[in-house]
Amino acid sequence: MALISSDLLYVQRPSGPDAGTYKMNAGELVDFIASSPAVNYRGTVDCTAAPSGQINPDPALVGDLYINTGDGNVATGWAGIETDAIVSGQRVIFDGSTWEIIGSTGGGSGVDTVTGTAPITIGGTTEDVIVGIDEATQSAFGSTRLAQDPPGAGDLTSTAVTDVLHVAHFNELAGRITVGAAGGVQSVSADNGLTASGTTDVTVSGVDATTAVKGVVQLTDTVTTDSTKAVTGTGVEGYAVPLNINSLTALP
């Protein structure tokens, strides 16, 4: 909600003959701001040294503001604040005739220190603080990452032992447990002339045998030139020479 000119503001004057509490409307505040000289940020200076050669423009203009970088007492030449104590970070502003020190530090409510509680780590320098986090272990909290998406079958995979499972993994595990509890098959593998396909309904099939691949063949009692069939002992017997020749019929 925006202010309107008739809104009342609380004003406290801490000292002087008119010290006390007063009210004013927002319109008066707008007029006061509009009539005040502009503030011009000019950069940094060391107020423990003379302003000559530091400020620009020189002489200073109304509203010129600098951030002090020195620690100690203000040097001669800074009218209105000479010999006053000053520390790095405080600001000085010129009102047209004298300078004034503003604030305890130029940083306002900036951060002085940064501390971390495990697993948060703090490193770097005072000016450039680096905030990190330790990796999680079985005995300490920390950062981690999600495991890879679960496969439809076989072992669950992960990049590191600290990877954690997520919803997809638990859904996959729940499905496998349901199948296992019903006595179903988790997975089927096949080799040496067999193939297996499917997940819930698995089909195991034989591979046609060749001279280079193990597999299944059809039997035949007849010796033929068909390379896809295997001759039985009965078929071979009709063509084989017996080891005991005496068992043959004598030549007539």
Side-chain angles (χ1 to χ4, degrees), residues 176-250:
R176 296 189 188 189
I177 292 171
T178 300
V179 172
V185 177
Q186 291 293 318
S187 64
V188 175
S189 300
D191 58 10
N192 286 332
L194 296 177
T195 62
S197 61
T199 54
T200 303
D201 298 317
V202 180
T203 300
V204 179
S205 304
V207 178
D208 289 339
T210 68
T211 56
V213 178
K214 296 177 182 178
V216 297
V217 295
Q218 179 180 345
L219 300 179
T220 178
D221 288 336
T222 304
V223 176
T224 68
T225 59
D226 190 342
S227 62
T228 63
K229 296 180 180 180
V231 180
T232 63
T234 300
V236 174
E237 185 179 12
Y239 290 87
V241 175
L243 294 178
N244 185 3
I245 298 179
N246 286 328
S247 65
L248 295 177
T249 305

Side-chain angles (χ1 to χ4, degrees), residues 41 65-69 86-92 101-110:
Y41 173 67
L65 180 142
Y66 294 87
I67 295 178
N68 169 59
T69 60
I86 195 168
V87 297
S88 176
Q90 288 185 292
R91 291 155 291 177
V92 293
I101 299 174
I102 302 175
S104 57
T105 61
S109 57

Side-chain angles (χ1 to χ4, degrees), residues 40-64:
N40 303 304
Y41 173 67
R42 301 295 191 185
T44 60
V45 292
D46 181 359
C47 289
T48 63
S52 179
Q54 294 194 83
I55 62 174
N56 184 22
D58 188 4
L61 302 178
V62 176
D64 283 358

Side-chain angles (χ1 to χ4, degrees), residues 88-209:
S88 176
Q90 288 185 292
R91 291 155 291 177
V92 293
I93 188 169
F94 189 63
D95 65 5
S97 58
T98 60
W99 293 89
E100 183 176 352
I101 299 174
I102 302 175
S104 57
T105 61
S109 57
V111 177
D112 293 324
T113 60
V114 178
T115 57
T117 302
I120 303 301
T121 61
I122 305 299
T125 64
T126 303
E127 293 77 15
D128 298 302
V129 178
I130 300 175
V131 180
I133 183 170
D134 290 329
E135 289 189 2
T137 66
Q138 291 181 327
S139 60
F141 294 107
S143 67
T144 185
R145 60 182 172 185
L146 300 179
Q148 299 177 25
D149 290 339
D155 295 336
L156 298 179
T157 57
S158 63
T159 305
V161 294
T162 55
D163 290 352
V164 297
L165 305 183
H166 52 87
V167 173
H169 292 95
F170 290 110
N171 290 339
E172 171 67 19
L173 290 173
R176 296 189 188 189
I177 292 171
T178 300
V179 172
V185 177
Q186 291 293 318
S187 64
V188 175
S189 300
D191 58 10
N192 286 332
L194 296 177
T195 62
S197 61
T199 54
T200 303
D201 298 317
V202 180
T203 300
V204 179
S205 304
V207 178
D208 289 339

